[in-house]
Amino acid sequence: VGAAAACVAWPALLGTAPLSGRTLEVAIIQGGTAAEIAPLGSRQAAILANHARLTTARARGVDLVIWPESAVELDLSTSPSPRAVLSRAARTAGAPIIAGVNDDVGSHRYRVLAWLVSPRGVLAGVYQKNHLVPFGEYVPARDLLDWIPMLSQVPKDAIPGHRPGVFDLGDYRVATVISFEGDFGSLTRVPVARGGRLLVVATNTSTWKTSWASAQHLAFSRVRAAENGVWVVHGAISGISALVAPDGSVAASTPLGEATTLKGPVRLARAATFYTRAGDWFVWVCATLALLGIAAAPRRTRRVPW
């Protein structure tokens, strides 16, 4: 009982990462999915146009702009090109944009990316999603499972990256993860440990429609904020988008399924929390001790009289 009480009380003694860094005004552009438009190419062009329009209209004078996952499809044959649209939006806002980008690699592969575009419209950094969604962004052992009809809904496989998402914006760094990655503390803590003092979660929640999943995904970001002691900018293409404080509370959020913009202040953390620095060692130690205890337990046999 004493050991359990000590474990419960210990986190309170560790304190939180001090938020003595500069305050930033952040804008999340929730451009919507343009679901009423067909075919797919036209819908993707409309999504891009919505994000650019909302940025021009409502994101001027901020320090950082977030476009969610899948806001930009690089392979659209439109004029101006998607890259030019994104660059012009950054120049108009006068602020860097972290944008969710999809990029086809041949006819059967693609990359899920986050781009950092400078206020001058120049590509300043790229993060390629490391942890992909099985049976959502790729099909494991596709050659063996290709006979299953439902797998036709995943016609292309995404290519994983191998480096954590940390964008350098001069006097501060931003840790960036994409969608599914934000559900795992072990993945999210890495870019924060590499110097990110603000966490961006860029996600495409449109396939969940009006289910509870969007709220659940935001709940994961609330846990990530508390674990790492940082503000989280949770940008979803169709909602719910939110600004999450380091204690896990939601400072501001958007409605689900509405094209809108969320603006608000966030503050940079000055240092990392104990969890960010140490990781999940406590869980692994507990699991190891439990397994050792089971293995070392004496095995007693009892004879049953016939």
Side-chain angles (χ1 to χ4, degrees):
V1 173
C7 289
V8 171
W10 185 32
L13 301 176
L14 293 175
T16 58
L19 293 169
S20 58
R22 60 179 287 199
T23 298
L24 305 176
E25 186 74 10
V26 175
I28 301 173
I29 309 301
Q30 183 175 298
T33 61
E36 71 284 357
I37 297 177
L40 178 60
S42 299
R43 182 161 65 252
Q44 291 169 335
I47 292 170
L48 175 63
N50 286 347
H51 284 83
R53 175 181 55 81
L54 289 171
T55 301
T56 300
R58 304 181 188 178
R60 300 191 186 198
V62 302
D63 298 298
L64 179 63
V65 180
I66 306 301
W67 287 15
E69 181 188 18
S70 303
V72 182
E73 296 282 345
L74 283 184
D75 296 285
L76 294 175
S77 56
T78 56
S79 182
S81 69
R83 183 166 180 167
V85 172
L86 177 55
S87 296
R88 185 170 60 188
R91 292 194 301 269
T92 301
I97 295 179
I98 295 177
V101 174
N102 289 339
D103 181 28
D104 284 344
V105 181
S107 58
H108 300 290
R109 310 287 297 279
Y110 72 103
R111 300 183 298 168
V112 183
L113 308 171
W115 275 15
L116 171 64
V117 180
S118 76
R120 295 184 300 164
V122 177
L123 180 61
V126 177
Y127 166 62
Q128 184 170 342
K129 187 175 183 179
N130 293 338
H131 194 75
L132 301 170
V133 182
F135 302 102
E137 291 172 324
Y138 75 102
V139 177
R142 182 183 287 273
D143 292 341
L144 299 176
L145 302 176
D146 210 28
W147 56 271
I148 301 175
M150 289 188 66
L151 294 184
S152 63
Q153 298 180 46
V154 189
K156 297 186 291 186
D157 288 335
I159 304 169
H162 303 286
R163 296 181 179 179
V166 184
F167 289 136
D168 191 341
L169 281 84
D171 58 342
Y172 67 96
R173 291 182 176 182
V174 175
T176 302
V177 295
I178 300 176
S179 198
F180 186 57
E181 296 176 317
D183 297 351
F184 301 93
S186 57
L187 298 176
T188 306
R189 58 167 288 272
V190 175
V192 181
R194 297 288 182 90
R197 293 298 173 257
L198 173 70
L199 175 62
V200 170
V201 178
T203 183
N204 179 355
T205 57
S206 60
T207 55
W208 299 336
K209 299 183 179 179
T210 58
S211 75
W212 47 263
S214 292
Q216 184 191 52
H217 194 40
L218 174 57
F220 279 119
S221 286
R222 298 176 67 180
V223 176
R224 303 291 86 83
E227 286 173 341
N228 296 285
V230 295
W231 278 85
V232 176
V233 182
H234 182 96
I237 199 165
S238 59
I240 305 167
S241 298
L243 301 176
V244 182
D247 62 359
S249 62
V250 177
S253 62
T254 64
L256 181 63
E258 180 178 317
T260 186
T261 303
L262 177 63
K263 295 170 64 176
V266 300
R267 196 169 185 181
L268 300 174
R270 190 180 67 187
T273 62
F274 177 79
Y275 171 75
T276 301
R277 298 191 305 270
D280 295 311
W281 66 269
F282 183 73
V283 176
W284 289 110
V285 167
C286 289
T288 301
L289 291 175
L291 292 175
L292 290 175
I294 293 172
R299 296 184 178 181
R300 298 180 180 179
T301 59
R302 182 166 59 97
R303 292 184 178 181
V304 179
W306 293 93

